Amino acid sequence: MRTLFSKLSIALVTIVVLMGAAFFVADRINTRVYYEELTQKLNAPIAMYVTGQRDLITAANPDLESLAELASHAMVINPTAEIYLLDTNGKILGHGLPPDTVMQTSIDLRPVQALISGSTAFPIRGDDPRSSMQKVFSAFEVRTGDTLEGYLYVVLGGQTYEQLANDIGGSYVGKAGAYVALAIIGLTALVGLLVFSLLTKRLKRLSCEMQRVSHSGFELSPEIAPPESGGDEIDQLSRSFVDMSQQIQVQIEQLTENDRLRRELVSNISHDLRTPLSAMQGYLETMIIRGNTLSDDEQSRYLEIARKHATRLGVLIGDLFELSKLDSTRMQPNIERFSLPELVQDVAQEFQLLAETKGVSVVIEASIENAFTYGDIGLIQRVLENLMRNAIRFTPQGGTVTLSIQDRANNVAIAVTDTGSGISDKDIPRIFDRFYRAVQGEEARSDSSGLGLAIVKRILDLHDSRITVKSQLDVGTSFEFELPAYQKAA
């Protein structure tokens, strides 16, 4: 009873039995009505023929002897017919039956008048004086000239008919009919069970596969692969299960990868924090131990090195906090309209002194003067600052860093290009990973947190923008991204 097949089987058998019983009863009722209508139509003239043989009522006096004689003749021809003579009020004046078998003294004339007038469809049932049942009948008016004297009422299917029907019902024919009905019900139930077995077999196989998959890391079996489209509800359920399993498997792989990245991130953070801290601690301890023996130049150099490591540590912690903030699901950019050329000019001026110190030229190239866009101006400024800082860091003396703005249909493209050491093809796919540093420019990257480009990518992801990289070793690198132009955003 706990399986779907058992429940469906019991429901099917119950429905088949109830439907079979209902059909059997309906068939019996329909058969009875059919034979009643047929009997009434075939025997409708009996009352008229009997009435035409004799004057059964003369001046309100019934001729009971003639009635008995005609009744006996009629019953010889049709043993199921029972003849009654009625007055105009339906009172029984006489009949050819044993007196103690007639239970009623009058007949309701409304069915009689309906039959004679032909105003009601067959079968028409009237009172049976020998029982409380309603039966089909034949009737005709008894007249003397134009005077209505009464009615001749013939019950079709009297007690003789009932006895014969009961005998046939219990005979071989009746039993055979019952057996046939039971056989049909049983065969129908068996076919239904076979169909349910075929249908539930697929569900059972899918259920077993679900249990197996849930305990095996959601590795699907090709045996349950449903058709790509169409099919019934079971196929749709199979497709949904396959899709769900694939999504769960992808999520598991993502969680595994995220866990790996988390471990790697913790390891990198620990290493990057430990290095400047160890250096600071070493120089400070040296100054404490050898404070009186160090010259002023040595003390200044040690303090400068400690300050440099402290600055690097501050940059690293600041970048970590910023990246954590950007990764938060609650982080949403403050979108506003702003002038991109003005922002580029401000960023170029911000790095002018650093560029001059390294002997690097900063150039602005704008193909359009009034390029308005939509975005978080603070975050976009941080993108340009990180790209500019990297470009100046990896560009040797005498090189050039270019900030360019170009019109791209419905977008505005911003690029930061340098003439530095470049990035190898194998490093380009990983430069946006956290704490990843390329081999080129080892000295230039020594004070880098390794999070600048990861922050850039995360900010542009929040703006639904994609950054592209083009680089060639010892020639230079170009980072480019696009923002929606004012006309498109409006």
Side-chain angles (χ1 to χ4, degrees), residues 307-343:
R307 185 196 64 79
K308 181 179 179 181
H309 285 294
T311 301
R312 180 184 175 188
L313 185 62
V315 171
L316 175 61
I317 294 175
D319 286 347
L320 282 173
F321 275 116
E322 182 173 4
L323 190 57
S324 175
K325 181 180 177 182
L326 292 172
D327 284 339
S328 173
T329 56
R330 293 176 293 179
M331 177 62 186
Q332 295 295 331
N334 182 24
I335 304 299
E336 58 181 328
R337 175 178 173 269
F338 64 91
S339 173
L340 196 55
E342 291 182 5
L343 178 61

Side-chain angles (χ1 to χ4, degrees), residues 358-377:
K358 288 199 62 177
V360 175
S361 301
V362 176
V363 179
I364 298 176
E365 295 180 353
S367 61
I368 47 177
E369 296 181 357
N370 296 319
F372 287 93
T373 185
Y374 269 90
D376 189 316
I377 186 171

